[in-house]
Amino acid sequence: MDLLPFTAAHAAAVAGWPTSADEVVRWCGRQEFPLSTRTVTEWQQDADVRAHVLVEDGTVVGYGELWLDDEEDEVELARLIVAPDTRGKGRGRVLVRGLLARAVAAGYRDVFMRVHPDNERALRCYRGAGFMPVDPALAETWNEAQPVGYVWLQGDTETPAGDSQAAPGCSA
């Protein structure tokens, strides 16, 4: 599998992956279903967003973004999703580890992600990829400005990201 830069040609496939309005909310916080190709394409206009796709045998099977914050010297992994027909096969863990490796290679040592609190399957996946909950007080502070009480996770930037074995429940 390869982690490649996102292009506008990938937008239609990615926009079609959420299978319900609830999934769109948990994935990207939008109230739009089905999600439009234009919405996914417009996310790329932010200069601090680096979007990637996970490609397996020429087919795009995953999507995720790095939100760079040079002022805070940190990165947030965001809008992670895997094609519905490939879920439960470890693609989410491969995607997360690949994005983490990209962030570390770019010089960032603080890599975070927020997860909708009822997305247990994604939480298992991300923990299996080396992400652990941040200090509860820090999470509480970060959640003050959020629409929901997200679970905040921090990546293990000390462990090599090459292990791509699937973790149970990893289908994000």
Side-chain angles (χ1 to χ4, degrees), residues 46-166:
D46 187 332
D48 297 329
V49 172
R50 302 289 183 275
H52 294 81
V53 290
L54 185 65
V55 178
E56 181 177 30
D57 298 327
T59 301
V60 177
V61 297
Y63 172 88
E65 298 174 353
L66 299 174
W67 291 357
L68 310 177
D69 186 339
D70 289 335
E71 187 176 304
E72 295 290 330
D73 194 30
E74 64 188 31
V75 174
E76 182 175 345
L77 274 59
R79 297 186 184 128
L80 305 169
I81 191 166
V82 172
D85 60 338
T86 67
R87 294 179 183 170
K89 299 175 183 175
R91 287 1 175 246
R93 184 175 178 184
V94 172
L95 176 63
V96 170
R97 287 179 154 251
L99 290 170
L100 177 62
R102 292 281 170 101
V104 170
Y108 295 94
R109 295 293 173 252
D110 287 325
V111 181
F112 300 97
M113 64 185 343
R114 63 184 119 167
V115 184
H116 204 278
D118 69 352
N119 197 344
E120 287 298 323
R121 195 170 192 181
L123 286 166
R124 283 192 308 273
C125 174
Y126 304 151
R127 287 182 180 124
F131 278 74
M132 299 303 294
V134 301
D135 177 85
L138 183 58
E140 185 176 327
T141 299
W142 287 348
N143 276 329
E144 287 175 2
Q146 300 301 324
V148 298
Y150 289 109
V151 176
W152 289 87
L153 304 171
Q154 183 168 16
D156 177 2
T157 57
E158 302 299 318
T159 302
D163 174 15
S164 62
Q165 292 182 353

Side-chain angles (χ1 to χ4, degrees), residues 8-69:
H10 302 124
V14 172
W17 289 343
T19 59
S20 68
D22 181 59
E23 186 176 0
V24 171
V25 170
R26 284 186 287 132
W27 172 43
C28 64
R30 303 284 299 218
Q31 298 294 325
E32 174 186 350
F33 182 78
L35 193 65
S36 73
T37 299
R38 181 179 177 178
T39 296
V40 176
T41 302
E42 287 177 351
W43 290 338
Q44 316 316 308
Q45 294 176 1
D46 187 332
D48 297 329
V49 172
R50 302 289 183 275
H52 294 81
V53 290
L54 185 65
V55 178
E56 181 177 30
D57 298 327
T59 301
V60 177
V61 297
Y63 172 88
E65 298 174 353
L66 299 174
W67 291 357
L68 310 177
D69 186 339

